[in-house]
Amino acid sequence: MDEDFDIPAADEMNDEFMDDVEAPVTLKVGEEKEIGNQGLKKKLLKEGEGWDTPESGDEVEVHYTGTLLDGTQFDSSRDRGEPFKFTLGQGQVIKGWDLGIKTMKKGENALFTIPAELAYGESGSPPKIPPSATLQFDVELLSWVSVKDICKDGGIFKKIVKEGEKWENPKDLDEVLVNYEVKLEDGTLVAKSDGVEFAVQDGHFCPALSKAVKTMKKGEKVILTVKPEYGFGEKGKPASGDEAAVPANATLLITLELLSWKVVSSVTDDKKVVKKILKEGEGYERPNEGAVVQVKLIGKLQDGTVFIKKGHDDSEPLEFKADEEQVIDGLDRAVLTMKKGEVALLTIAPEYAFGSTGSEQELAVVPPNATVTYEIELVSFVKDKESWDMNTTQEKIEAAGKKKEEGNAFFKAGKYNKAVKRYEKAAKYIEYDTNFEEEEKKQAKALKITCNLNNAACQLKLKEYKQAIKLCTKVLELESTNVKALYRRAQAYINVADLDLAELDIKKALEIDPNNKDVKLEYKVLKEKIKEYNKKDAKFYGNMFAKMTKPSSNTTKEAEPMSIDSKA
């Protein structure tokens, strides 16, 4: 057929037909199936490659031959010797093509039988295609270029012209290194820049750049079609320096290449210790609490003053035990996130550095309330032993005892989160005692009871009442008459309003130890709570606690969770 016949869209297109197709359609060679519910049929002539199929917005390239049902050929890209290119799902071709080609894989060859409703309708396309004609197209999908609507609102379309590496994408805090070139639709060069670095969340040039890089991989190169709302909007942009003006409501064409990026993350939930990776580390292992680490570091004030330098200029690296408060808190926390050989830049707020008092360091004084930075390299680390690394049962018991004592020290210092970690680790060392001798089993049981009780005391302080209940229950499974476990569990039950369960634990504790002052005091607290709840909902609590509703002259006060255990 004549070259000016280009599989045009039917005159009256709408997008409703796009919703009734399931892609991909699974067929065997020679098999034919109906696609959707509008009469479109597909017969597989040759299998394609892989599993990907193109999506709406992708730029596809095909060879095709079109015929009427009687075999009359009306068009063929093969005869012209030139593949046909179009954008899928944009109404640039007849409906049957938009529907059918979405189900194809790269290299696939299929025969589509397309009813008039999905082709040229009642009017046809004279003189070659008669009215109400059903058509057949032998189509081979040669390739496609992925084009994504990255904001899902038509504001930025991304066409990948060079695939990137791996699978990671930059995040908001990361700092990216890019090349870019910006043109208007008529080809006018607006701006061009190589090797520009910026934080994703801060953006650069126009909003589209930060939106796009978050969808890109390292080394990926794309062409962006950017609508005004992600460019410079109704106001446009005046010329500045080497950059040309952008007219109002202008669509931009941006070629963008993501060269690399530095991963930036918050070490703490409050974002007051921030780590930027300057050089990736090795493997996947990181130090654990108690690991002996060696680091090179340079500590600076915000004005650039160096206050500490270790591991440089022939000096020895700094060695310390992680999570043992041998260095400032921010440094302690950050090193636990690093891999061997990793180099990072830490920015640490005063709360995690030297606080409101400051500190005299080896090279300079850190003033009060100073934010500091460290360039740090994790040279090496030796992890604190886990239970499976220990050769003998006695070694496990000794290690558990040591961690328990460390936990006690942190508890007394009011550092409950750190104490929790020690108690948990101690309990893990001796969790599985089937191979222990009888005497060792007794020692392990005593340590488990002590560690779980002390951990429960920490959880009460931290207001983690459900966790305290679990820990006390573990103790009672080992020793059903443990008064401290009953007492602490009762406290936790009171705080989660399970007053009936709290009553059961307190009564049992008093049966075991009738003169225990702490338990008696907690009983008074419970009675006050019951009175309070009865006033709010007398009907609900009246039946449950009828015997405990006598008025009490005692005032309510918060009871301490008994002293922690240092024995065992």
Side-chain angles (χ1 to χ4, degrees), residues 242 284 320 488:
D242 295 333
Y284 62 90
F320 62 93
R488 289 174 187 164

Side-chain angles (χ1 to χ4, degrees), residues 21-212:
V21 177
E22 294 180 5
V25 174
T26 304
L27 291 172
K28 296 177 181 178
V29 173
E31 185 180 2
E32 186 175 53
K33 277 187 182 179
E34 184 172 346
I35 299 173
N37 55 17
Q38 297 187 57
L40 174 65
K41 293 180 180 178
K42 174 184 176 181
K43 182 178 182 180
L44 184 63
L45 304 179
K46 188 185 86 173
E47 283 275 8
E49 306 168 11
W51 54 271
D52 271 340
T53 56
E55 299 177 5
S56 292
D58 290 352
E59 295 179 1
V60 299
E61 184 176 44
V62 301
H63 261 315
Y64 69 91
T65 300
T67 61
L68 303 178
L69 285 180
D70 64 7
T72 303
Q73 181 176 307
F74 56 82
D75 191 23
S76 174
S77 66
R78 295 182 177 96
D79 290 349
R80 292 195 296 273
E82 183 179 344
F84 176 57
K85 297 180 182 180
F86 69 98
T87 301
L88 188 63
Q90 302 299 306
Q92 296 179 4
V93 292
I94 58 176
K95 297 177 184 179
W97 269 47
D98 268 336
L99 283 170
I101 291 174
K102 282 180 71 175
T103 72
M104 299 182 73
K105 302 172 185 174
K106 183 180 179 182
E108 182 179 317
N109 193 183
L111 179 68
F112 293 101
T113 301
I114 305 176
E117 293 79 7
L118 299 180
Y120 296 94
E122 294 179 359
S123 58
S125 184
K128 298 289 184 176
I129 299 176
S132 301
T134 295
L135 309 178
Q136 286 191 321
F137 285 92
D138 179 335
V139 180
E140 182 182 5
L141 178 58
L142 303 174
S143 64
W144 71 86
V145 176
S146 178
V147 179
K148 303 293 183 186
D149 179 0
I150 62 176
C151 296
K152 308 300 182 188
D153 60 2
I156 306 174
F157 284 98
K158 181 184 85 168
K159 179 167 75 173
I160 298 174
V161 295
K162 177 187 167 190
E163 291 286 345
E165 306 168 11
K166 300 184 180 179
W167 54 270
E168 300 99 329
N169 308 118
K171 304 294 188 295
D172 282 332
L173 292 175
D174 295 346
E175 294 181 4
V176 296
L177 182 67
V178 303
N179 294 335
Y180 67 87
E181 181 181 85
V182 184
K183 292 182 178 181
L184 302 179
E185 286 184 294
D186 63 5
T188 302
L189 181 66
V190 173
K192 183 175 181 179
S193 198
D194 292 336
V196 174
E197 190 171 43
F198 63 92
V200 174
Q201 65 181 3
D202 295 339
H204 183 76
F205 187 73
C206 71
L209 262 62
S210 60
K211 295 280 186 186

Side-chain angles (χ1 to χ4, degrees), residues 231-507:
F232 294 96
E234 296 178 355
K235 295 183 179 179
K237 175 182 176 294
S240 174
D242 295 333
E243 295 182 353
V246 176
N249 297 312
T251 294
L252 303 175
L253 301 176
I254 302 177
T255 302
L256 177 66
E257 183 176 13
L258 177 58
L259 302 174
S260 63
W261 74 86
K262 296 183 178 77
V263 175
V264 181
S265 58
S266 292
V267 175
T268 55
D269 292 339
D270 57 10
K271 300 181 181 179
K272 292 188 175 181
V273 180
V274 176
K275 182 182 80 165
K276 176 166 68 176
I277 297 177
L278 305 179
K279 177 189 167 189
E280 288 286 345
E282 307 166 10
Y284 62 90
E285 284 206 327
R286 295 174 172 85
N288 59 355
E289 289 91 354
V292 177
V293 302
Q294 286 194 330
V295 299
K296 293 180 181 179
L297 58 79
I298 301 173
K300 295 180 182 180
L301 304 178
Q302 288 187 300
D303 64 4
T305 301
V306 176
F307 60 83
I308 188 170
K309 196 172 187 179
K310 295 287 185 181
H312 298 273
D313 304 327
D314 298 324
S315 66
E316 291 294 316
L318 175 65
E319 183 174 289
F320 62 93
K321 265 193 173 186
D323 202 40
E324 294 285 349
E325 300 194 328
Q326 296 178 3
V327 293
I328 60 170
D329 194 20
L331 189 56
D332 229 350
R333 292 175 185 236
V335 79
L336 294 175
T337 71
M338 298 180 69
K339 302 173 185 176
K340 182 181 177 182
E342 182 178 321
V343 180
L345 182 67
L346 307 177
T347 302
I348 304 175
E351 298 94 313
Y352 297 92
F354 299 97
S356 59
T357 58
S359 174
E360 185 172 342
Q361 295 290 292
E362 62 179 33
L363 299 178
V365 173
V366 177
N369 300 311
T371 294
V372 297
T373 61
Y374 286 88
E375 185 174 311
I376 177 173
E377 178 183 351
L378 180 55
V379 177
S380 66
F381 62 90
V382 178
K383 294 179 78 170
D384 195 23
K385 277 190 175 183
E386 303 291 353
S387 60
W388 53 83
D389 297 320
M390 297 179 180
N391 298 319
T392 67
T393 53
Q394 195 56 42
E395 185 182 4
K396 293 179 182 181
I397 290 170
E398 288 173 3
K402 185 179 177 182
K403 287 296 173 189
K404 184 208 70 175
E405 292 302 328
E406 291 175 5
N408 290 352
F410 280 124
F411 183 93
K412 289 171 185 175
K415 296 173 181 177
Y416 305 117
N417 282 310
K418 286 184 178 290
V420 164
K421 289 181 182 177
R422 272 46 180 199
Y423 293 136
E424 286 177 349
K425 194 156 192 178
K428 280 184 181 177
Y429 283 144
I430 51 176
E431 185 175 6
Y432 302 107
D433 59 3
T434 51
N435 295 325
F436 286 23
E437 299 292 337
E438 284 306 312
E439 185 57 35
E440 290 173 337
K441 284 184 179 180
K442 289 179 183 178
Q443 291 177 300
K445 178 181 176 182
L447 276 167
K448 286 178 189 177
I449 289 171
T450 300
C451 290
N452 286 326
L453 274 175
N454 291 354
N455 194 350
C458 292
Q459 302 295 348
L460 288 170
K461 291 286 189 181
L462 295 167
K463 302 188 186 306
E464 297 289 345
Y465 301 118
K466 290 184 179 179
Q467 190 61 27
I469 290 166
K470 288 180 182 178
L471 289 161
C472 291
T473 301
K474 279 187 178 182
V475 172
L476 291 165
E477 287 170 355
L478 293 169
E479 188 176 82
S480 62
T481 59
N482 190 291
V483 173
K484 284 188 177 181
L486 291 165
Y487 167 74
R488 289 174 187 164
R489 192 167 72 173
Q491 282 188 303
Y493 280 142
I494 290 172
N495 279 284
V496 295
D498 278 341
L499 304 187
D500 54 339
L501 295 177
E503 179 197 16
L504 291 172
D505 278 352
I506 286 176
K507 284 186 172 181

Side-chain angles (χ1 to χ4, degrees), residues 514-531:
N515 298 317
N516 190 300
K517 292 180 180 179
D518 290 322
V519 178
K520 285 182 175 181
L521 179 60
E522 198 65 24
Y523 201 8
K524 291 180 180 179
V525 171
L526 177 60
K527 288 179 179 179
E528 291 294 333
K529 285 283 183 183
I530 292 167
K531 282 175 62 180

